[in-house]
Amino acid sequence: MNYSDERFADLQLLRYRLNGFEQLSLSQKTLIYYLSKATLYGRDITFDQFGRYNLRIRKMLEAVYTDMTIDRESEDFRALEVYLKRIWFSNGIYHHYGCEKFVPGFNQQYLTKMIETVAPCRLPLRSGETVEQMCKELFPVIFDSTVLPKRVNKADGEDLLLTSACNFYDGVTQQEAESYYQNLKDAAGDDKEPVSYGLNSTLVKRDGEIHEEVWSAKGRYANAINHIVYWLKKALTVAENEHQHKVITLLIDYYITGDLRLFNDYCIEWVGEHDGRIDFVNGFIEVYGDPLALKGSWEGIVEYKDLEATKRTQTISRNAQWFEDHSPVDPRFRKAKVKGVTANAICAAMLGGDEYPSTAIGINLPNADWIRAQYGSKSITISNITDAYNKAAHGNGFKEEFIKDSEILSMIERYGDACDDLHTDLHECLGHGSGQLLPGTDPDALKAYGNTIEEARADLFALYYIADEKLVELDLLPNSEAYKAEYYSYIMNGLMTQLIRIQPGAKIEEAHMRNRALIARWCYSHSTDTIKLEQHDGKTFVSISDYVLLRQLFAQLLAEIQRIKSEGDYEAARQLVEQYAVDIDSELHNEVLERYKHLNLAPYKGFINPQLLPVTDDNGDICDIQVNYCESYAHQMLRYSSEYATLV
């Protein structure tokens, strides 16, 4: 199987294989198929959430792109094709990682000329709207760099809502939004089971009044959600057990009503369902796309357990209490009793929404702290996705360019992949599930810095424990030296190599990148000679002289990050992030970009979904599900835009 399929701009498309799918029962395959349909029907929601003009721009450009009268060999058309492919990849006109608006490689005159060749009935015109009026509205958004320039702005001191283009708020300032949700929390009083305020709604201001437009089968995004509900109901007919049936039923009820209390009920039941081989995530989940970290971007993933790889993750989850008890954080912030921590290695069967085409390699849910504390959490490591990444990276020259020491290079070659998988397991299963808030601490107290602090907390937990002899004892690592591969790779990435993903002159914005920079730079600044940046033949390389001391630094920072989280210390979070995680050394940045350029690699990767095709018998009943890996990127995206179009 060819894991690498296509490259354009800074992106490379890969394929993932559904290992062991043919061994599943017909009922399990059919369940995956129904859940996959529910996953794909949320696509337009994500596009709309990521920018109010995204859907219209995508549909307009797709009409141009598929017009057979256009010269498809011209330089301008090729630039338009790349621009559209980037929009497909990012669910909108903003970079999926950096959040900056794409700069088209064609001009307004060319696009105007192309639109004039398209039949108006194929364009996304509103009732009574002319082509000229459509262009007048959309062209400034596409071509003017000053109009809605960033999807998510996190610059300290600015109004994060008025300067962000994401479509979670309408006419509301940051202060108004924060006050609105604080008032809801105050009105709820000492609620032991709080809802995730604002998770599934757009906050709008109309005629001076602020209210929420709830995302539900009867509210905003109703058409898309009703399609999702239809396929979830189909999934009910082939649920693996009664508990799984209850989970799906609660999700349907939540979608129909938009009631966040039902979402809590769904999360509790979902986290407690372990017997089925098939599982899924479907809904408004992660809040990284909201500068206030309240609104959930729609995402979906369908999965089934990788039984062999799950042995590793289950070993970790069985020992969760030991890891919690031996954590280097203040005992006040540890959980006295770890509940319901489960971890599985899974094969992704379908990706959707904010998990497609770019996806996480590990997930830990639910996000509500009180549910984690009382009922536990589920963690997954996506084995077939990491396998595709590893195969695509093999022999690409990246490590050789940025690692000078042959001994370290050899160590990373031997242990790097295993350590990466283990770090993900520890991060998702134990890191996110560890620790506790002090009584009375608002889980949203860290505001815009909350995501970065939480990711740093989970990473530090994983980094601290990956060097522990306990992992050798549990047969999760082959020896007590293997962890050094992860330590070196992590520090090198945080200090240097992740900068390949950032444009010259920009700052670090994305929460995971900020987290890695915070950890690496804090350790660098607090070490004397433990970490160095050394020059050899005009190139910068990382040197680590004492891995034991580095682990102590991880422990020290973990203790402080956990304190900040547990106490809700906003000011300490702000100072840490702003001091260590935002600004970039321009000289080092330019050097890294130049070195990476010569490797001719794409810094970002995503995936083309397999196509699941039902086979029916003479009675029209499904008798098998075939998996097709041959669909091209453009064909898949255009098919999705047609088959799963739900919003206008």
Side-chain angles (χ1 to χ4, degrees):
M1 178 178 177
N2 181 14
Y3 281 82
S4 179
D5 187 80
E6 183 177 349
R7 278 191 57 181
F8 54 89
D10 57 355
L11 303 167
Q12 181 180 10
L13 273 300
L14 309 175
R15 297 183 187 272
Y16 59 96
R17 177 170 288 279
L18 273 58
N19 303 313
F21 183 83
E22 65 282 354
Q23 298 168 8
L24 299 174
S25 69
L26 174 60
S27 180
Q28 289 172 323
K29 291 179 183 178
T30 306
L31 176 59
I32 287 174
Y33 172 71
Y34 290 153
L35 291 173
S36 294
K37 297 289 282 187
T39 292
L40 295 174
Y41 265 111
R43 180 174 183 249
D44 277 3
I45 297 177
T46 309
F47 266 90
D48 189 71
Q49 289 180 320
F50 286 3
R52 71 183 60 198
Y53 300 100
N54 283 339
L55 279 172
R56 297 193 78 206
I57 291 173
R58 188 196 80 195
K59 292 178 180 182
M60 178 182 69
L61 294 177
E62 286 173 344
V64 172
Y65 181 71
T66 56
D67 191 295
M68 292 298 100
T69 67
I70 290 175
D71 177 9
R72 308 180 74 83
E73 301 301 321
S74 71
E75 185 175 333
D76 281 326
F77 179 83
R78 295 187 186 278
L80 183 145
E81 182 177 40
V82 169
Y83 183 73
L84 177 56
K85 287 182 175 181
R86 298 188 79 181
I87 289 174
W88 286 332
F89 192 95
S90 296
N91 294 295
I93 63 173
Y94 301 92
H95 196 283
H96 74 289
Y97 219 75
C99 292
E100 69 274 7
K101 188 163 71 173
F102 296 134
V103 178
F106 52 91
N107 58 35
Q108 296 188 45
Q109 291 73 27
Y110 171 76
L111 184 55
T112 300
K113 182 180 178 182
M114 294 304 98
I115 290 173
E116 289 173 350
T117 69
V118 177
C121 63
R122 298 185 62 238
L123 294 169
L125 298 175
R126 298 191 180 104
S127 178
E129 185 181 37
T130 66
V131 173
E132 291 74 19
Q133 289 171 329
M134 178 192 71
C135 293
K136 185 177 181 180
E137 179 182 32
L138 299 183
F139 276 25
V141 183
I142 297 172
F143 294 104
D144 190 335
S145 62
T146 66
V147 175
L148 303 173
K150 289 188 71 69
R151 177 167 66 88
V152 181
N153 178 38
K154 294 187 177 181
D156 188 33
E158 298 183 9
D159 187 307
L160 302 186
L161 300 192
L162 297 182
T163 56
S164 295
C166 56
N167 196 21
F168 295 120
Y169 305 89
D170 187 355
V172 182
T173 67
Q174 179 178 349
Q175 183 178 358
E176 287 173 332
E178 290 176 344
S179 297
Y180 179 89
Y181 288 112
Q182 188 58 54
N183 289 338
L184 290 182
K185 292 176 184 178
D186 291 344
D190 186 21
D191 190 348
K192 301 299 183 183
E193 299 182 354
V195 300
S196 300
Y197 291 100
L199 183 70
N200 67 334
S201 67
T202 304
L203 192 65
V204 301
K205 188 175 184 179
R206 299 282 188 269
D207 300 323
E209 296 293 325
I210 298 175
H211 68 278
E212 291 182 300
E213 293 182 356
V214 176
W215 310 328
S216 73
K218 299 177 183 178
R220 191 162 176 148
Y221 302 137
N223 192 39
I225 290 172
N226 278 307
H227 279 83
I228 294 169
V229 167
Y230 172 85
W231 288 101
L232 289 175
K233 288 181 177 179
K234 297 280 283 185
L236 282 176
T237 65
V238 286
E240 294 180 276
N241 54 62
E242 289 185 9
H243 198 165
Q244 191 180 73
H245 190 281
K246 184 176 182 180
V247 168
I248 299 172
T249 299
L250 280 169
L251 180 58
I252 291 170
D253 292 344
Y254 159 62
Y255 268 138
I256 291 173
T257 64
D259 185 345
L260 285 170
R261 294 285 175 189
L262 283 174
F263 182 67
N264 283 349
D265 295 340
Y266 157 74
C267 289
I268 292 167
E269 293 298 331
W270 176 83
V271 84
E273 200 289 298
H274 308 300
D275 295 332
R277 177 92 185 263
I278 316 302
D279 207 348
F280 69 101
V281 174
N282 186 298
F284 308 106
I285 308 296
E286 302 292 359
V287 296
Y288 299 104
D290 174 12
L292 299 187
L294 296 173
K295 307 293 181 182
S297 301
W298 193 92
E299 66 178 62
I301 180 170
V302 185
E303 65 199 54
Y304 57 98
K305 290 176 185 174
D306 180 335
L307 298 180
E308 183 60 34
T310 289
K311 294 177 183 177
R312 180 188 72 236
T313 56
Q314 289 181 343
T315 297
I316 293 172
S317 61
R318 281 196 302 268
N319 289 273
Q321 190 66 60
W322 184 92
F323 288 101
E324 184 77 4
D325 293 343
H326 292 80
S327 171
V329 307
D330 190 313
R332 293 182 301 142
F333 309 140
R334 299 181 197 152
K335 290 177 179 174
K337 185 176 182 180
V338 178
K339 298 179 182 179
V341 173
T342 61
N344 294 301
I346 60 97
C347 284
M350 192 61 63
L351 308 172
D354 200 16
E355 290 291 339
Y356 168 82
S358 177
T359 184
I361 58 174
I363 297 173
N364 178 273
L365 291 172
N367 287 325
D369 285 290
W370 73 268
I371 297 179
R372 289 175 181 272
Q374 293 186 34
Y375 299 96
S377 62
K378 272 187 188 177
S379 300
I380 61 169
T381 301
I382 312 177
S383 61
N384 57 340
I385 294 295
T386 56
D387 182 58
Y389 276 133
N390 292 340
K391 284 181 168 60
H394 182 71
N396 64 11
F398 178 83
K399 295 184 182 74
E400 290 77 5
E401 172 60 37
F402 288 98
I403 301 173
K404 182 178 184 296
D405 190 304
S406 59
E407 183 177 341
I408 292 173
L409 189 60
S410 176
M411 177 179 63
I412 291 174
E413 286 292 333
R414 290 198 306 274
Y415 306 125
D417 288 351
C419 283
D420 283 346
D421 288 344
L422 187 55
H423 180 274
T424 301
D425 294 339
L426 292 167
H427 173 110
E428 299 294 348
C429 177
L430 301 182
H432 282 308
S434 67
Q436 64 179 354
L437 301 182
L438 292 184
T441 298
D442 184 349
D444 299 319
L446 304 184
K447 301 180 182 179
Y449 299 102
N451 288 334
T452 297
I453 292 298
E454 175 58 22
E455 291 303 325
R457 192 177 71 90
D459 258 0
L460 285 163
F461 198 97
L463 289 166
Y464 176 76
Y465 275 117
I466 202 169
D468 202 288
E469 287 289 341
K470 184 72 172 179
L471 299 189
V472 180
E473 175 189 323
L474 294 173
D475 201 28
L476 295 172
L477 283 180
N479 57 59
S480 58
E481 297 292 310
Y483 78 92
K484 295 179 181 178
E486 183 66 18
Y487 273 25
Y488 189 92
S489 297
Y490 192 96
I491 294 297
M492 179 180 71
N493 189 36
L495 290 179
M496 289 180 55
T497 53
Q498 73 168 356
L499 298 179
I500 63 174
R501 297 181 165 191
I502 300 176
Q503 295 297 316
K507 296 179 182 292
I508 303 175
E509 301 261 5
E510 200 276 334
H512 297 80
M513 294 183 75
R514 282 187 167 189
N515 141 52
R516 292 188 287 267
L518 189 162
I519 292 171
R521 292 173 176 180
W522 186 93
C523 290
Y524 176 66
S525 68
H526 285 74
S527 68
T528 50
D529 294 324
T530 304
I531 304 172
K532 291 182 179 180
L533 291 176
E534 299 179 339
Q535 296 290 318
H536 296 278
D537 299 324
K539 296 181 178 180
T540 305
F541 297 91
V542 169
S543 171
I544 299 176
S545 61
D546 193 326
Y547 287 87
V548 174
L549 285 178
L550 179 54
R551 189 189 186 211
Q552 293 174 8
L553 289 171
F554 289 147
Q556 184 180 345
L557 183 56
L558 173 58
E560 173 60 6
I561 291 285
Q562 182 63 64
R563 183 199 67 78
I564 289 171
K565 171 85 174 182
S566 296
E567 296 180 349
D569 190 342
Y570 171 82
E571 186 56 32
R574 188 191 71 80
Q575 290 180 9
L576 264 184
V577 174
E578 294 295 335
Q579 181 175 354
Y580 296 105
V582 178
D583 295 324
I584 299 174
D585 181 316
S586 60
E587 186 175 344
L588 177 61
H589 190 194
N590 291 334
E591 177 200 324
V592 169
L593 290 175
E594 187 63 26
R595 291 165 67 181
Y596 187 77
K597 179 181 178 182
H598 292 299
L599 296 175
N600 192 31
L601 300 174
Y604 300 99
K605 294 174 175 62
F607 293 89
I608 299 171
N609 278 327
Q611 188 175 9
L612 301 183
L613 303 170
V615 180
T616 56
D617 59 22
D618 293 340
N619 297 320
D621 297 323
I622 293 176
C623 59
D624 196 12
I625 303 293
Q626 292 184 347
V627 183
N628 176 20
Y629 298 104
C630 299
E631 193 170 29
S632 72
Y633 175 65
H635 184 275
Q636 182 162 104
M637 290 297 184
L638 289 171
R639 180 171 66 85
Y640 285 3
S641 292
S642 174
E643 188 173 344
Y644 301 104
T646 56
L647 303 180
V648 294

